[in-house]
């Protein structure tokens, strides 16, 4: 037996107990006549003491040789500490060691195993197994396990059945970003790894499974943006015989449960907003509503003067920055430079200071009088002491720019409190999205998403205006889940395929087995998938998903610890009936 | 709202309630003046009634047009049934329908959706989404979900943390059966899909995670034997600071919990047997101990006469077949032919009838007298009325042959009751296994398995005799789990690698990152992995894992429903820097 207790559980009630502990040497302090060693395991830290008066000399000598991260086993007696440490749970006691065994030595770690480490990102990734010993990483992984267990318990008790769908599936021509897997037994043929279990969960609904969920890895071979992973985890859900309202209720319930159990936060009813309204009020389909700064559209009160920049703009829109009148001229110039950065792309920014005395001072006083500026303040909700920032131009672009500014200012103003949680449903997403390169519409969600009732006619006249039974769940400015009510009847599906530019033959080739399945009594159904990595990070009060993944990959899709991907040898390629065809 | 209740929940207490139900038409009976429809969903079947006296004519006409597997929604009143059906939970009531809507039609299914179906295996696999509608398949999937949820709850409450390890890992030269995944972003390089998360779980132990588990898909690209799948699910577990005894206790606890919660069977302590003893008593390292028929070794009482077949054999071994004296001469001849089949491979079989009067009649009476045969009966435990079957030859081969016969006879005698559960630990597996082709030893489990204390010396003199800290958990003659205590110190590991024929360079190339990790204070650790598919099947009283997998693949590794694997187009190959290199 390696231990009678772990390093986090001994208290004053254990005083005088003989115990055996095992763990890692966190650090030691050697005063010559007395040596303290902090012994660490997953559960905590317990102080070991070796001193001249009570410990054999040879044992002290042994203790003096212990290095950081040595793995040791000790026997000893729990005693009361002379100077207690209220920062750790075992701080009232220490172990007077009577026996010490080194279970394994350690060479010097490449970075210190402390909450605040001196190791950079790259180094910590290469030695991830050491990084995991650090509390912040370890606690994140334990937190993730707790969240997934809560998800499973909640959904299971709500009648959802977890069903494992296959990982070795079929690549479709649409699946340009599929990872493929050559089959040795089926020469020249390939499986694909699922980008999501979408078709399988729909088939489970056709199969009468009624309520399905799965916490499942998904895969996408795409150029990785910051904080994306080639493999990621979804909480994938689907329900039969449901309308949108049933889905929203089911997963609002789940999210509310998580917020309560995991964060101790009780939220009554999640607000709902349409996609159009979200774009109008926040310039964003995943607005962070922990703070205000809602958009005020100023066309009516800014396009009646000789200011051509505004007059020629499709949209003039502003936000009120709380306390922004404190900004110096230099601060504001910096802000203007910030919105002009290529990542944001605004041409400039107009501002109006709201003075405490009720007057205004704007960068466009030449064109606008106090009455005009008062209206800007009124529409953006600016109070004395605030600053109104105004952008103008093409509506879609200017909304995205102002949204970026809104988020940046909120960050600077400390309005994005990671301990505050503001969930929001965004409803009525557009069914179709215009691909500007090809000038073709394609499905915003996927081709089985159902349009809202009575909107089919619009498909011919104004396809971009058709709204779908599609919804996202947003938390603190991040999309944490999204889904839709699916089409389940052949006629609607045929019309959809036609409008998406599929010939019946194309449709059959790509979605044949699902369309076949729909011939045999498909029930009305719909679902939702949460991005688990993101959800866990946000519930954990952070935004970087990598910190919540045990062995993440870097931005090139590499695991730098195991050094993958890597070349494979020719024999293996030959057996797979493949040859390299390198471009370079 | 599609339904107020599901099809399994209405009882007499609901009589006179107005309800809305949705589901599939299981079948209908049309007597002209009255139509009954069985409406089915995941939860059960509810009878709908339409009759001349109480139902509008047009509604009856509608009902008469309903085909099997149509999806419908009905409104109506719960009424008491005239003739109750005690076979179903809703059998006391029926619904007098006032409104009927067809939600979706169905063409005629390729097989009947009934518990006993007319569909063959191939057809049911192709239309698996229809097969899942059948109770036996649906119930298996629900059963699997229940088992996994029990596993998670038990392990989580025991302090195990579920950690997701990566699916896109690195292929090793040892991994000849790895599925590989070309990386588009890293030209000419490949990931591999894990055959198990072995190295990652060991790294998690190095990382201080202490107790880890994961229910995880694993992959092996090998020629599929019957009832193997290229993707399969493991309950993967690892613990730090443990000895073998700790692991056995932890997972015996889990298995006992499952047997109790899932099967209502209480089993106190699991018997333990060494590998050597299992081979000696059952000829098998995964003996089914639901029944006896233990091996009796007869060398001492069968090699003293002139019977050369026995005298030249390394091992003469028999079993007593309960009641086998009833077999006719023809039955016994058939049995002899059965053991001579190439799949079993015995050259012949000697038998001795144990007559009710205490005399014996054997196929070798020419050589053996009644005293000899009495000893055979004594050693095999045969009673009057039994039949002693004796095989002889090379010890390893004859044990395997007699084990096959033992299992076959138990099957015929109905001794393998799927409702009875007999778990068993098999301990002290050999560390090394001789590869007869290359005449080299390789690790039976994996190269990190630790030898039993004090056995390292044997590595030089008699490598095949070295026993490992390796164990299997056997249930009803199936290995449901296996694991080992790992090596965690460099010296032992170096010796092991040497004996496995690795140069230090080879070892570094294949296991470099794990060996690096072991430099930084690796704790003693060990673990176990359950094969979930098999475990669930056995707990479910069956032995075919395919029946417990939602979308299984066939023996060629194909998913016949989605028709995967499949060719991919040249553009996709080019983008992956690959070319086909077909052999044919």
């Amino acid at each position: 037996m390696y231990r009678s207790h772990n390093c986090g559980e001994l208290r004053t009630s254990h005083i005088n107990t003989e115990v055996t502990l095992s763990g890692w040497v966190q650090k030691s302090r050697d005063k010559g006549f007395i040596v303290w060693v902090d012994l660490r395991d997953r559960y905590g830290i317990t102080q070991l003491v070796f001193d001249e008066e009570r410990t054999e000399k040879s044992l002290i000598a042994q203790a003096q040789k212990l290095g950081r991260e040595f793995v040791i086993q000790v026997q000893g007696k729990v005693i009361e500490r002379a100077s207690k440490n209220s920062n750790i749970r075992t701080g009232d006691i220490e172990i007077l060691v009577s026996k010490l065994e080194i279970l394994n030595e350690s060479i010097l770690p490449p970075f210190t195993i402390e909450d605040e480490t001196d190791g950079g990102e790259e180094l910590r990734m290469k030695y991830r197994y050491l990084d995991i010993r650090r509390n912040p990483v370890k606690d994140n992984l334990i937190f993730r396990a707790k969240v997934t267990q809560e998800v499973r318990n909640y959904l299971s008790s709500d009648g959802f059945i977890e069903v494992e769908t296959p990982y070795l599936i079929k690549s479709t021509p649409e699946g340009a970003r599929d990872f493929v897997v050559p089959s040795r037994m089926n020469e020249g043929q390939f499986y694909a790894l699922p980008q999501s279990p979408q078709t399988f969960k729909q088939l489970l609904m056709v199969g009468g499974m009624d309520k399905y969920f799965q916490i499942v890895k998904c895969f996408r071979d795409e150029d990785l943006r910051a904080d994306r992973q080639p493999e990621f985890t979804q909480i994938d859900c689907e329900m039969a015989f449901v309308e949108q309202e049933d889905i929203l209720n089911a997963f609002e319930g789940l999210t509310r449960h998580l917020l309560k159990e995991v964060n101790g936060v009780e939220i009554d009813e999640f607000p709902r907003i349409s996609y159009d309204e979200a774009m109008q009020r926040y310039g964003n389909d995943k607005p962070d509503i922990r703070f205000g700064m809602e958009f005020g559209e100023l066309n009516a009160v800014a396009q009646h003067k000789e200011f051509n920049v505004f007059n020629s703009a499709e949209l003039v829109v502003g936000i009120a920055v709380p306390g922004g009148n404190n900004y110096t001229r230099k601060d504001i110039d910096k802000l203007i430079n910030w919105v002009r950065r290529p990542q944001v792309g605004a041409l400039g920014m107009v501002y109006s200071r709201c003075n405490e005395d009720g007057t205004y001072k704007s960068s466009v006083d030449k064109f606008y009088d106090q009455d005009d500026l008062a209206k800007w303040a009124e529409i953006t909700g600016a109070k004395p002491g605030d600053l109104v920032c105004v952008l103008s131009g093409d509506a879609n672009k200017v909304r995205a720019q102002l949204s970026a500014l809104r988020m940046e200012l909120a960050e600077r103003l400390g309005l994005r409190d990671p301990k505050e949680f503001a969930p929001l449903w965004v409803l009525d997403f557009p069914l179709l999205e215009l691909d500007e390169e090809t000038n073709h519409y394609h499905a915003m969600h996927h081709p089985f998403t159902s349009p809202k009732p009575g909107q089919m006619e619009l498909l011919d006249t104004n396809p971009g205006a058709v709204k779908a039974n599609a919804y996202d769940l947003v938390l603190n400015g991040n999309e944490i889940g999204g889904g839709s009510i699916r089409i389940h009847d052949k006629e609607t599906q045929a019309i959809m395929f036609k409008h998406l530019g599929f010939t019946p033959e194309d449709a059959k080739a790509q979605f044949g087995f699902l369309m076949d399945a729909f011939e045999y009594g498909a029930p009305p159904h719909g679902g939702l998938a949460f991005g688990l990595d993101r959800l866990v990070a946000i519930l954990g009060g952070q935004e970087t998903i990598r910190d919540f993944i045990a062995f993440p990959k870097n931005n090139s899709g590499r695991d730098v610890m195991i050094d993958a991907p890597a070349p494979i040898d020719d024999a293996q390629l030959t057996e797979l009936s493949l040859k390299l065809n390198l471009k370079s």
Side-chain angles (χ1 to χ4, degrees), chain A:
Chain A
M1 194 198 54
Y2 278 102
R3 58 189 173 194
S4 61
H5 296 77
N6 66 47
C7 294
E9 67 178 314
L10 294 172
R11 301 285 184 275
T12 49
S13 61
H14 295 93
I15 282 170
N16 285 325
T17 312
E18 282 291 329
V19 297
T20 306
L21 298 184
S22 291
W24 286 265
V25 173
Q26 175 72 29
K27 63 176 177 215
S28 61
R29 279 162 300 151
D30 180 1
K31 299 256 180 196
F33 60 97
I34 188 163
V35 179
W36 288 281
V37 173
D38 278 356
L39 188 67
R40 186 198 69 231
D41 66 10
R42 186 183 109 195
Y43 310 93
I45 283 181
T46 298
Q47 182 168 288
L48 313 178
V49 63
F50 306 75
D51 78 34
E52 274 188 339
E53 285 172 26
R54 295 174 292 181
T55 311
E56 270 180 44
K57 256 213 163 80
S58 64
L59 197 52
I60 297 187
Q62 253 190 297
Q64 284 168 327
K65 282 187 209 133
L66 294 176
R68 273 188 180 247
E69 302 306 318
F70 274 40
V71 184
I72 63 172
Q73 183 187 36
V74 295
Q75 285 174 40
K77 194 161 71 172
V78 183
I79 59 173
E80 187 161 13
R81 272 210 221 183
S83 61
K84 299 199 166 53
N85 176 354
S86 60
N87 293 326
I88 59 171
R89 287 166 302 146
T90 61
D92 290 347
I93 57 93
E94 60 192 357
I95 310 297
L96 181 64
V97 176
S98 54
K99 194 173 164 203
L100 165 66
E101 191 183 342
I102 294 175
L103 298 175
N104 220 343
E105 299 190 351
S106 173
I107 57 174
L108 191 71
F111 51 87
T112 55
I113 314 292
E114 303 271 7
D115 290 8
E116 298 291 328
T117 182
D118 52 353
E121 171 92 1
E122 273 290 312
L123 201 60
R124 289 192 293 114
M125 286 301 149
K126 182 165 163 55
Y127 297 93
R128 184 65 164 176
Y129 46 86
L130 296 179
D131 204 25
I132 290 172
R133 287 189 195 162
R134 296 172 53 243
N135 287 322
V137 180
K138 180 197 75 178
D139 292 345
N140 283 351
L141 297 180
I142 293 175
F143 182 80
R144 182 186 180 110
K146 182 177 162 58
V147 172
T148 59
Q149 185 65 356
E150 286 294 341
V151 169
R152 286 196 161 98
N153 284 340
Y154 182 89
L155 291 177
S156 297
S157 66
D158 198 22
F160 284 84
I161 306 294
E162 184 160 23
V163 180
E164 294 177 54
T165 54
Y167 279 80
L168 298 173
I169 65 167
K170 189 178 181 171
S171 188
T172 60
E174 282 250 308
R177 291 299 166 254
D178 282 344
F179 281 108
V180 298
V181 182
S183 165
R184 193 176 49 87
M185 290 212 295
N186 298 273
E187 205 188 9
Q189 300 191 25
F190 296 77
Y191 302 99
L193 299 177
Q195 296 191 32
S196 98
Q198 183 65 33
T199 47
F200 290 96
K201 70 177 176 176
Q202 293 194 240
L203 290 174
L204 286 171
M205 294 304 103
V206 175
M209 201 41 71
D210 208 74
K211 293 168 105 176
Y212 143 91
F213 85 103
Q214 188 183 191
I215 299 187
V216 62
K217 274 279 174 76
C218 301
F219 305 86
R220 205 172 296 148
D221 188 9
E222 64 187 347
D223 304 320
L224 298 175
R225 290 184 246 157
D227 215 27
R228 283 255 194 147
Q229 293 279 317
E231 51 177 307
F232 52 97
T233 308
Q234 283 193 357
I235 307 169
D236 192 49
C237 308
E238 195 81 2
M239 303 168 80
F241 300 112
V242 288
E243 291 160 343
Q244 175 171 302
E245 192 62 28
D246 301 302
I247 306 253
L248 301 189
N249 287 335
F251 299 106
E252 184 166 322
L254 169 63
T255 312
R256 194 181 291 125
H257 173 82
L258 291 178
L259 286 166
K260 185 162 169 229
E261 292 302 318
V262 174
N263 297 94
V265 172
E266 300 219 26
I267 291 176
D268 202 31
E269 217 168 85
F270 293 4
R272 298 177 180 190
I273 191 175
S274 72
Y275 171 88
D276 285 348
E277 195 182 342
M279 295 309 288
Q280 209 172 14
R281 287 169 56 190
Y282 303 98
N284 197 318
D285 62 0
K286 42 179 197 287
D288 190 339
I289 58 166
R290 280 175 295 183
F291 56 94
M293 290 204 267
E294 290 190 23
F295 287 14
E297 297 197 353
L298 303 176
N299 291 40
V301 295
Q303 291 185 325
H304 60 300
K305 293 290 170 70
E306 299 299 305
F307 188 47
N308 251 330
V309 174
F310 283 0
N311 292 351
S312 63
E314 186 186 357
L315 179 66
V316 182
V317 59
I319 52 172
V321 185
N325 193 22
N326 286 336
Y327 291 3
T328 62
R329 177 62 210 249
K330 217 170 150 186
D331 292 335
I332 294 179
D333 281 346
K334 274 194 198 156
L335 216 52
I336 293 173
N337 284 333
W338 190 90
V339 298
R340 285 170 135 165
R341 298 183 322 149
Q343 298 95 315
V344 182
L347 293 173
M349 184 183 94
V350 165
Y351 65 88
S352 167
R353 291 175 175 281
C354 308
N355 297 317
E356 295 293 347
D357 64 3
T359 64
Y360 302 94
K361 176 84 193 84
S362 83
S363 58
V364 283
D365 280 352
K366 203 156 71 164
F367 300 102
Y368 298 97
D369 58 27
Q370 291 288 310
D371 282 351
D372 292 327
L373 299 177
K375 281 179 191 149
W376 295 12
E378 190 194 333
I379 290 171
T380 59
K383 291 180 188 53
D386 292 354
L387 178 76
V388 176
C389 296
V390 183
L391 301 182
S392 61
D394 167 76
N396 287 339
K397 282 184 187 154
V398 80
R399 283 190 175 120
Q401 292 157 5
L402 191 61
S403 172
L405 178 62
R406 177 177 174 270
M407 295 297 276
E408 173 68 15
L409 287 168
E411 194 68 49
R412 293 186 193 181
L413 291 165
L415 300 176
R416 306 194 66 201
D417 176 4
K419 302 278 173 226
E420 191 191 335
F421 296 95
L424 171 74
W425 285 108
V426 180
L427 308 178
D428 307 342
F429 269 75
L431 183 67
L432 304 172
E433 202 170 35
L434 189 65
D435 183 332
E436 297 199 345
E437 268 180 45
T438 62
N439 208 33
H440 279 305
Y441 281 97
H442 59 79
M444 198 162 184
H445 198 68
H446 61 69
F448 295 95
T449 301
S450 66
K452 290 219 121 16
Q455 299 224 327
M456 292 293 284
E457 300 69 40
L458 278 176
L459 274 175
D460 287 318
T461 54
N462 187 3
V466 179
K467 293 299 189 287
N469 286 314
Y471 33 80
D472 275 359
L473 181 53
V474 172
L475 184 59
N476 293 5
N478 290 278
E479 179 205 327
I480 56 165
S484 66
I485 297 293
R486 328 299 181 190
I487 297 169
H488 67 279
D489 70 294
K490 275 183 301 185
E491 292 72 25
T492 312
Q493 193 61 63
I495 295 170
M496 273 300 298
F497 277 138
K498 204 189 80 191
H499 278 90
L500 292 171
F502 287 86
T503 64
E505 294 71 35
D506 286 348
K508 191 166 173 50
Q510 289 192 38
F511 303 104
F513 61 95
L514 190 53
M515 290 174 71
D516 284 351
F518 280 6
E519 300 268 17
Y520 295 100
H525 61 290
L528 185 136
F530 289 88
L532 179 69
D533 306 296
R534 176 79 50 207
L535 174 65
V536 168
I538 295 171
L539 293 177
Q542 296 176 38
E543 295 205 346
T544 310
I545 64 172
R546 208 175 291 183
D547 296 340
F548 289 83
I549 296 172
F551 299 102
K553 294 188 172 56
N554 73 9
N555 281 349
S556 320
R558 296 198 68 82
D559 182 327
V560 296
M561 180 184 73
I562 63 172
D563 194 24
I568 58 176
D569 61 29
D570 288 342
Q572 211 170 344
L573 279 172
T574 304
E575 214 181 351
L576 295 168
S577 306
L578 289 175
K579 253 202 305 224
L580 291 185
N581 178 27
L582 302 182
K583 293 169 195 95
S584 46

